[in-house]
Amino acid sequence: MLEFVEEHRCFGGVQCIYEHESESIGLPMRFSVFLPKEASSSKVPALFYLAGLTCTEETFPIKAGAQRYAAEHGIALIAPDTSPRGTDVPGEKDAWDFGVGAGFYVDATREPWSKYYRMYSYVTQDLRRAVLAELPIREDRLGIFGHSMGGHGALVLALRNPDIYRSVSAFAPIAAPPHCPWGEKAFSGYLGDDREVWKQYDASELVREANASRFENGILIDQGLGDQFLAEQLHPDVFERNAQEAGHKVTVRRHDGYDHGYFFISTFVGEHVAHHARVLCR
């Protein structure tokens, strides 16, 4: 059951935070949800947003300004936390890019992380089931997007679960995690050293085999060319090349001067919501 935490009126709807018990993680988890005014009388489409390193369930609703656009289209916005909290796993708070705030949307298989760090199952199963059971959300109209680590997560979850998510987009995603320091650190720590195992969470590999006709509106990626992490960590060109070779409709928009932060996201988030609305609101 969902435990109500807080609620605020917002663009004719409500911005809320809920807490619930997660079977996959074994601990309480929090998520935010914006419900447009239409949700007071009927079920609405929903767009899941996965945030990046160090973020919480509050980062996106506070910083992105997406509620205005979601209200225009009658879409709910759902944003989970980025990792379990309170696990007491040794070392989980030692680094900003691994452990707390850095779950990478994988199901860890390496001890001691495997007991709690199961964000892939949390988002695709526990969170989805909870909102469908207790909130006015349409099961057949779900999309997903995210930023950085969350952009990686959104691409992976969508490509692996096309029966769940009908649309997908990303801001500055970590598009080829095995080929960057952030991804190598996270995958080796959570999954072990077998790079074949890593491929199940590598969007640039998954897109090779994914059904190219599944996402009818294509895959949208926005990337700032002033992003300080672009060259070393993100590699959108790898994903773009593999997607095009596999016949996917992919649009990677590159923007001069924009960096990796929420000023960038807030500039283009309206276009991302519209991208999803063209599929979810038909």
Side-chain angles (χ1 to χ4, degrees):
M1 294 183 61
L2 299 183
E3 179 181 340
F4 174 79
V5 177
E6 62 183 67
E7 176 182 296
H8 308 277
R9 292 294 296 175
C10 185
F11 289 102
V14 289
Q15 179 67 56
C16 306
I17 292 180
Y18 290 97
E19 183 172 288
H20 68 127
E21 292 292 332
S22 166
E23 181 179 349
S24 298
I25 289 174
L27 290 169
M29 293 290 291
R30 287 191 173 192
F31 68 92
S32 66
V33 57
F34 169 74
L35 294 173
K37 62 182 180 180
E38 290 85 353
S40 63
S41 59
S42 63
K43 291 187 175 182
V44 297
L47 187 50
F48 288 82
Y49 177 87
L50 305 184
L53 291 164
T54 75
C55 294
T56 73
E57 73 283 354
E58 294 185 292
T59 308
F60 176 71
I62 290 173
K63 292 186 174 184
Q67 296 95 334
R68 176 191 300 273
Y69 308 104
E72 291 174 359
H73 295 285
I75 294 177
L77 299 172
I78 300 165
D81 202 347
T82 54
S83 77
R85 307 277 169 172
T87 69
D88 294 326
V89 172
E92 70 171 355
K93 296 181 181 179
D94 289 353
W96 66 274
D97 56 356
F98 184 80
V100 172
F104 263 84
Y105 306 101
V106 305
D107 281 352
T109 55
R110 189 173 187 177
E111 294 291 345
W113 309 98
S114 57
K115 182 177 180 179
Y116 299 111
Y117 278 71
R118 298 177 51 79
M119 290 298 293
Y120 176 88
S121 288
Y122 170 68
V123 175
T124 58
Q125 299 177 28
D126 300 2
L127 176 62
R128 179 173 61 91
R129 291 170 182 167
V131 300
L132 291 177
E134 300 194 45
L135 297 175
I137 302 299
R138 289 189 58 174
E139 183 176 8
D140 63 337
R141 290 289 189 273
L142 303 179
I144 191 165
F145 67 155
H147 168 235
S148 193
M149 176 184 73
H152 138 75
L155 294 172
V156 168
L157 268 61
L159 291 168
R160 288 182 57 175
N161 299 278
D163 55 326
I164 295 176
Y165 307 107
R166 298 188 57 177
S167 57
V168 60
S169 68
F171 298 95
I174 303 173
H179 306 289
C180 73
W182 281 342
E184 289 182 331
K185 181 176 182 177
F187 283 12
S188 61
Y190 293 134
L191 305 173
D193 297 327
D194 186 349
R195 286 181 170 259
E196 286 299 309
V197 173
W198 297 7
K199 289 182 178 180
Q200 65 185 306
Y201 297 110
D202 179 359
S204 291
E205 286 294 326
L206 292 170
V207 78
R208 294 178 185 272
E209 305 299 328
N211 186 340
S213 64
R214 181 59 186 89
F215 303 109
E216 56 190 276
N217 202 34
I219 301 170
L220 173 63
I221 294 174
D222 275 306
Q223 176 63 61
L225 294 180
D227 191 323
Q228 65 270 40
F229 303 114
L230 175 57
E232 184 177 30
Q233 303 283 10
L234 304 181
H235 303 302
D237 53 312
V238 177
F239 181 86
E240 182 180 32
R241 181 181 66 247
N242 290 357
Q244 289 175 340
E245 290 177 354
H248 289 272
K249 179 183 177 183
V250 58
T251 301
V252 180
R253 307 190 304 183
R254 295 169 172 86
H255 307 279
D256 286 336
Y258 285 91
D259 61 23
H260 197 69
Y262 270 82
F263 294 111
F264 161 60
I265 294 171
S266 64
T267 301
F268 299 105
V269 71
E271 295 172 43
H272 279 247
V273 174
H275 165 83
H276 292 270
R278 284 190 284 272
V279 174
L280 303 181
C281 298
R282 293 190 316 186

